[in-house]
Amino acid sequence: MKRIYFDNAATTPLDKAVLDAMLPYMTDHFGNPSSIYSYGRESRLGIENARKTVAKILNAHPGEIFFTSGGTESSNTAINAAIRDLGCRHIITSEIEHHATLHSVEQLHSGQNIALSYVKVLPNGHIDMEHLRALLAGSSKRSLVTLMHANNEIGNLLDIHAVGKLCQEFDAIFHSDTVQTVGHYPFDLRNTPVHFINGAGHKFHGPKGVGILYINENVKITPFIQGGAQERNMRAGTENLYGIIGFAKALELATAHYEEHSKYINDLRMYMAAQLQQHIPGIGFNGDLHGRSLYTVLNVSFPKSEKSEMILFNLDINGICASGGSACTSGADAGSHVIRALNSNPNQISVRFSFSKDNTKEEIDQVVDKLKELV
């Protein structure tokens, strides 16, 4: 049985062209980038060329791009730096952020007595901008606003420019977790009012274990990993050489094919939504499916029943990979904090299907046919 993979928001398969770009740095150009002899210089050149590629695509300066181990490290770094180095004593976030953000801000709140506020989330999953303004206006301390660009579970897109301008108005620091959008969205960072964004290679057919942190050139922070002088004295430790090469190549390919792939993937997403509505009574969609949302994610609510409670397990044993979480579950699985924040209806079971350029309509037809049996 051929497996069907509909969990691309979690991770994507490595593109062969990316692997081909990485291989020489695993075998021939293997030197330590900090070494001064030829092997080291070749590796250093590869890293700096990758940095220039990433910066050009994001319309940033190469000096603003730092390579990290992925989105979690990058978010942790930005959030902690805002408190440690930039004078922020109040954090504003939402209840639907990734746990890399939520756990970081909760730790700062409990461990360092940093004020913490949660902006209201509207029923459609978007941030309540009026409440955000009120929180900023009512703060007597400098604020850090940390809000994700695209939600990893429901796909809603934040108006990053509107939030950034609001932060400028109140002299707040703005970090946006852009892990779901770097590689899937055209960025122009020179004209985007944001201090920090982050990305992870494995979200757009690059390697796992490598990411970026963009730090706006007007922001000065202290090193976030102590040791050697790597990453311009900001992140000690020997660089993930072939991961960095792979990240840049994957971003280059994603950008070159953005128009073609985004339309194709969005067509798949909307086709599946239409097929589910046609064939399965009582379903709904979480988030802003027909509005401001990322083209890769479809979050579906199924009516709760004895059969649907086992839906993820049954999909798995039928070779279908998806992820999920419901508003209220029992046992060790507390369900999805995102779905709970939007919809506390315990009579719905939520499943996230997320797509890539490698998926097909035929796969969707097979999954919908199977769901008709399972729900």
Side-chain angles (χ1 to χ4, degrees), residues 135-339:
L135 288 173
L136 285 165
S139 180
S140 60
K141 306 166 184 176
R142 191 179 200 191
S143 296
L144 162 68
V145 174
T146 175
L147 295 169
M148 66 200 316
H149 188 203
N151 187 274
N152 57 304
E153 294 198 28
I154 59 174
N156 278 33
L157 273 170
L158 180 76
D159 187 338
I160 197 170
H161 288 272
V163 172
K165 287 176 182 176
L166 202 53
C167 289
Q168 284 181 330
E169 184 179 339
F170 292 97
D171 189 34
I173 294 296
F174 179 29
H175 161 248
S176 187
D177 173 0
T178 55
V179 163
Q180 292 293 332
T181 47
V182 168
H184 293 286
Y185 182 91
F187 279 92
D188 179 5
L189 290 175
R190 289 196 189 281
N191 297 295
T192 305
V194 65
H195 297 96
F196 302 99
I197 72 161
N198 48 307
H202 70 106
K203 302 296 186 181
F204 48 93
H205 304 282
K208 294 175 177 62
V210 63
I212 58 160
L213 174 62
Y214 160 83
I215 306 176
N216 184 278
E217 62 187 354
N218 296 314
V219 169
K220 305 302 177 189
I221 70 172
T222 53
F224 40 93
I225 295 180
Q226 304 298 326
Q230 293 89 351
E231 287 302 286
R232 301 188 309 288
N233 291 301
M234 289 299 291
R235 184 184 186 270
T238 302
E239 297 91 340
N240 177 2
L241 173 61
Y242 31 85
I244 289 168
I245 300 298
F247 183 101
K249 183 63 176 179
L251 186 60
E252 195 174 23
L253 290 171
T255 303
H257 298 287
Y258 169 73
E259 295 293 339
E260 169 196 352
H261 288 166
S262 61
K263 182 183 185 308
Y264 175 76
I265 296 167
N266 190 58
D267 286 348
L268 289 180
R269 179 177 74 135
M270 301 312 290
Y271 177 74
M272 185 167 188
Q275 290 299 302
L276 288 171
Q277 281 186 311
Q278 181 179 340
H279 295 290
I280 302 179
I283 67 151
F285 301 105
N286 297 304
D288 190 14
L289 174 62
H290 298 286
R292 204 167 65 242
S293 62
L294 189 62
Y295 60 90
T296 55
V297 175
L298 179 68
N299 194 297
V300 185
S301 284
F302 295 93
K304 188 174 182 179
S305 67
E306 286 186 15
K307 290 171 70 177
S308 67
E309 280 194 291
M310 297 289 289
I311 190 169
L312 286 176
F313 174 77
N314 286 325
L315 285 171
D316 182 35
I317 64 174
N318 282 281
I320 299 164
C321 304
S323 66
S326 57
C328 180
T329 58
S330 59
D333 180 12
S336 161
H337 68 286
V338 174
I339 300 302

Side-chain angles (χ1 to χ4, degrees), residues 27-47:
T27 55
D28 300 329
H29 310 305
F30 59 85
N32 189 314
S34 297
S35 301
I36 62 171
Y37 44 72
S38 59
Y39 280 122
R41 293 197 305 272
E42 290 167 359
S43 297
R44 170 57 54 197
L45 182 62
I47 288 175

